[in-house]
Amino acid sequence: MNGAGRPRPHGGVELLAWIFMRVSGVVLLFMVLIHLAIMHIINNVEVINYHFVAMRYATPFWRTYDVVMLWLAFIHGLNGVRVMIVDYVNPGGWRVFSLASLYVLGFMFLALGSLVILTFNPAKPF
């Protein structure tokens, strides 16, 4: 290993994935810092409860903010795992199986996370 890392792709889906990783990484950095400031510095665990979340999700802004952060973080992470599978799993059956499993599990968790945030109803506690 020479420490140079993976070269930048020259086109196609790999270039788009490469650009997405850089852009989403920068956007996520600011979104997560804002999230940490609100959830762990401005407020503490004694303040954050069901009522706090219900008030927060009463506005579409925070739902949208959390869904965008979820999607960016999840797709960013899935893309990283996809690159590791392509780099380290030999082409053939195991690579296809690994990538298919990654996409199916990723879609399931992304859909569940989005469903929870978007359908949260503060008037109807669980």
Side-chain angles (χ1 to χ4, degrees), residues 31-66:
M31 291 184 85
V32 168
L33 287 176
I34 292 169
H35 175 84
L36 284 174
I38 292 172
M39 300 301 274
H40 299 286
I41 296 173
I42 296 172
N43 300 295
N44 59 25
V45 293
E46 295 167 359
V47 174
I48 299 172
N49 55 21
Y50 183 84
H51 183 66
F52 179 86
V53 174
M55 283 183 26
R56 187 177 149 110
Y57 279 179
T59 63
F61 174 79
W62 286 115
R63 285 183 194 240
T64 306
Y65 186 91
D66 283 354

Side-chain angles (χ1 to χ4, degrees), residues 1-2 8 11 17 30 34 36 48-49 52-53 55 60 62 65 69 71-72 78 81 98 110 119-121 123:
M1 223 177 194
N2 61 6
R8 185 172 78 180
F30 290 108
I34 292 169
L36 284 174
I48 299 172
N49 55 21
F52 179 86
V53 174
M55 283 183 26
W62 286 115
Y65 186 91
M69 191 167 64
W71 277 68
L72 283 177
L78 287 176
V81 174
S98 301
L110 200 55
T119 62
F120 178 79
N121 185 359

Side-chain angles (χ1 to χ4, degrees), residues 10-124:
H10 295 288
V13 174
E14 287 297 321
L15 179 62
L16 293 175
W18 187 87
I19 292 170
F20 173 78
M21 290 297 276
R22 271 86 191 148
V23 172
S24 67
V26 171
V27 172
L28 273 171
L29 177 67
F30 290 108
M31 291 184 85
V32 168
L33 287 176
I34 292 169
H35 175 84
L36 284 174
I38 292 172
M39 300 301 274
H40 299 286
I41 296 173
I42 296 172
N43 300 295
N44 59 25
V45 293
E46 295 167 359
V47 174
I48 299 172
N49 55 21
Y50 183 84
H51 183 66
F52 179 86
V53 174
M55 283 183 26
R56 187 177 149 110
Y57 279 179
T59 63
F61 174 79
W62 286 115
R63 285 183 194 240
T64 306
Y65 186 91
D66 283 354
V67 166
V68 169
M69 191 167 64
L70 170 74
W71 277 68
L72 283 177
F74 214 86
I75 294 173
H76 186 96
L78 287 176
N79 194 36
V81 174
R82 182 193 65 82
V83 169
M84 289 189 325
I85 289 172
V86 169
D87 283 350
Y88 293 109
V89 177
N90 291 330
W94 282 112
R95 181 182 288 183
V96 171
F97 175 76
S98 301
L99 289 173
S101 300
L102 178 71
Y103 295 143
V104 169
L105 288 174
F107 174 77
M108 287 173 43
F109 285 117
L110 200 55
L112 282 173
S114 300
L115 184 71
V116 167
I117 293 172
L118 295 175
T119 62
F120 178 79
N121 185 359
K124 190 172 122 185

